[in-house]
Amino acid sequence: MNFKFLNKFILLIPFFVVFSVFSQHNHEDKYLRFLELASDSFSENPKIARQYLDSIPNPIKKNVKNHLACYYELKALINDKFNETAKRYQNFTLALKYAELEKNYDAAGAASLELFYNTYLIKKDSSAYKYLDNAKKFYELSGNKNGLVEVMQMPAYVEFFSGNFKKSNKLILEQLENYKSIKDDAYYYMYALFMLSSNYIDLGDIGKSHKYFNILKSLEGNATLSKSLYQSHLATIQTGLADFYLENKQVDSSFYYISESKLLKHSMNDYDLRNYFNLKINYYDLKENHEAKTQYIDSLKVFEHKMLNEIMDSSINIGDSLLDVETELKAEQEKNGTLLSGL
């Protein structure tokens, strides 16, 4: 996986702690019950989860009052499952705004971390760090230790994304045993292993990449990991290995990992899907199979057209919602003083 490949993919960050309120209470209110059911099903069955949310009638503000942060975060997580990138970003923005109003600091921390991640991907500059600083403040307010661990991983991610692979590895390896020791959520260990394996691909040390990839694969079936989340990271490394072998003209090895990643296509995000199509195009180009190459070029065009339409549609629909919540937030700030996002 070379640097041009690295710049194209996006990672998934877990946000399950926010919905613990629903797993702990069997709500009699039918609309809050829909939120509970959506939170239980979004990871493995996002279509059903979306149907539960769609079953909550307008006015949403009244029917899920005091749970709007969770409502919009669930919408964002479902957007992620359907590769609706723009809608995901915008719904996390709404989740953050309502989390501040509701003083739901776990939700605010999770949304801030997601917004840091997405803003850094787009702007690639220090302006994103305000979200990371706020994530730390929110998690400190809620006493969320695992959330703070995730904040701690972000400097390694920044180096990873910026192409400073050795520095990223150094930061990860210094804390690897700490991540491994977190037994109630294996995500942090898995994510560290994911970055190590990916970094070593870019450093050309394929042996060490496989070493950490094999450890990551040993986490399959871990009860604290979402299956789809695990598979999405697996698919990203597989496409990275396929890209490495293809660039080094090891066609059989490349085809093996392309085939393996195809089995996880349902768990791929939009960046991985784009990479998958490009891998198939390059593979068939190398094999001089022009018919198959043309088919995947056409598939990639359809995919890009779909993504463009989604961005345009979401941009039109989100404006009024953001304006409404900004008005509410301003009123709350005037009553209670400046909220954390304004610091």
Side-chain angles (χ1 to χ4, degrees):
M1 180 176 63
N2 57 26
F3 184 56
K4 72 177 187 296
F5 178 86
L6 176 60
N7 269 309
K8 291 179 180 178
F9 72 71
I10 191 168
L11 312 179
L12 298 175
I13 300 176
F15 291 102
F16 307 114
V17 67
V18 178
F19 307 110
S20 61
V21 62
F22 297 116
S23 61
Q24 293 168 7
H25 302 286
N26 186 11
H27 289 286
E28 294 181 3
D29 186 298
K30 62 179 178 180
Y31 300 135
L32 292 184
R33 178 61 177 161
F34 286 147
L35 275 185
E36 180 183 4
L37 291 168
S39 73
D40 288 342
S41 58
F42 83 87
S43 180
E44 308 303 334
N45 201 333
K47 288 184 179 179
I48 294 296
R50 177 167 280 175
Q51 288 174 10
Y52 284 131
L53 291 188
D54 289 344
S55 297
I56 302 172
N58 289 321
I60 297 297
K61 290 180 185 179
K62 178 181 177 181
N63 289 325
V64 290
K65 187 177 179 180
N66 298 323
H67 295 283
L68 286 161
C70 291
Y71 172 81
Y72 283 106
E73 189 162 7
L74 272 169
K75 285 177 72 73
L77 288 165
I78 293 167
N79 293 146
D80 183 76
K81 295 293 185 181
F82 290 104
N83 293 310
E84 297 164 344
T85 306
K87 289 180 181 177
R88 178 187 62 203
Y89 177 82
Q90 291 158 339
N91 278 320
F92 271 119
T93 301
L94 287 168
L96 175 58
K97 300 296 184 183
Y98 279 113
E100 290 182 276
L101 282 169
E102 297 167 355
K103 295 181 174 55
N104 184 339
Y105 297 127
D106 276 329
S112 295
L113 205 54
E114 175 71 13
L115 291 170
F116 159 75
Y117 180 81
N118 282 272
T119 304
Y120 191 84
L121 276 177
I122 295 167
K123 294 188 176 182
K124 302 179 181 67
D125 62 26
S126 60
S127 65
Y129 280 90
K130 65 179 181 181
Y131 291 115
L132 189 60
D133 291 341
N134 280 342
K136 184 173 183 290
K137 293 172 186 175
F138 287 129
Y139 282 140
E140 285 174 344
L141 283 170
S142 68
N144 188 330
K145 293 181 180 179
N146 284 358
L148 289 170
V149 169
E150 194 166 0
V151 171
M152 185 177 68
Q153 282 189 323
M154 287 300 101
Y157 162 72
V158 168
E159 300 301 339
F160 165 57
F161 181 76
S162 301
N164 301 321
F165 309 117
K166 288 183 179 179
K167 188 172 182 179
S168 176
N169 281 348
K170 182 177 183 296
L171 291 170
I172 298 164
L173 290 168
E174 287 172 353
Q175 296 292 331
L176 190 61
E177 288 303 311
N178 182 29
Y179 300 142
K180 184 178 180 181
S181 70
I182 302 172
K183 301 301 183 184
D184 62 332
D185 193 342
Y187 169 80
Y188 308 100
Y189 186 44
M190 182 199 72
Y191 190 55
L193 294 167
F194 167 83
M195 285 194 284
L196 286 170
S197 181
S198 299
N199 283 335
Y200 279 118
I201 293 173
D202 281 281
L203 290 168
D205 193 336
I206 206 68
K208 284 189 177 177
S209 176
H210 279 292
K211 171 187 173 180
Y212 290 107
F213 185 37
N214 287 334
I215 299 173
L216 189 156
K217 286 191 288 186
S218 73
L219 297 176
E220 183 176 7
N222 187 294
T224 69
L225 275 178
S226 156
K227 181 180 178 181
S228 61
L229 187 68
Y230 166 79
Q231 288 182 339
S232 70
H233 286 78
L234 208 66
T236 303
I237 295 180
Q238 287 171 344
T239 52
L241 288 167
D243 187 68
F244 173 87
Y245 286 121
L246 195 62
E247 286 207 342
N248 287 277
K249 303 296 187 292
Q250 298 179 46
V251 180
D252 290 342
S253 294
S254 180
F255 182 72
Y256 171 80
Y257 283 105
I258 291 172
S259 300
E260 288 292 292
S261 66
K262 183 180 179 180
L263 299 175
L264 300 176
K265 195 176 174 184
H266 61 282
S267 294
M268 290 183 184
N269 56 47
D270 49 346
Y271 287 83
D272 283 332
L273 281 169
R274 186 178 288 107
N275 292 329
Y276 173 79
F277 287 131
N278 279 311
L279 276 168
K280 296 290 277 190
I281 291 166
N282 293 333
Y283 171 79
Y284 284 119
D285 183 55
L286 203 62
K287 297 289 285 184
E288 297 185 353
N289 186 336
H290 301 297
E291 182 179 352
K293 176 184 174 181
T294 300
Q295 289 176 348
Y296 278 96
I297 289 173
D298 291 340
S299 296
L300 181 59
K301 287 179 180 177
V302 171
F303 172 76
E304 295 289 8
H305 182 70
K306 177 186 174 185
M307 294 303 298
L308 179 61
N309 284 342
E310 186 270 317
I311 290 170
M312 292 176 66
D313 289 345
S314 61
S315 297
I316 292 169
N317 294 333
I318 202 72
D320 288 343
S321 295
L322 281 172
L323 183 61
D324 288 345
V325 74
E326 287 287 0
T327 302
E328 290 182 57
L329 190 57
K330 184 177 179 181
E332 186 71 14
Q333 286 172 329
E334 289 173 352
K335 276 199 313 180
N336 301 320
T338 304
L339 298 177
L340 280 176
S341 66
L343 293 177

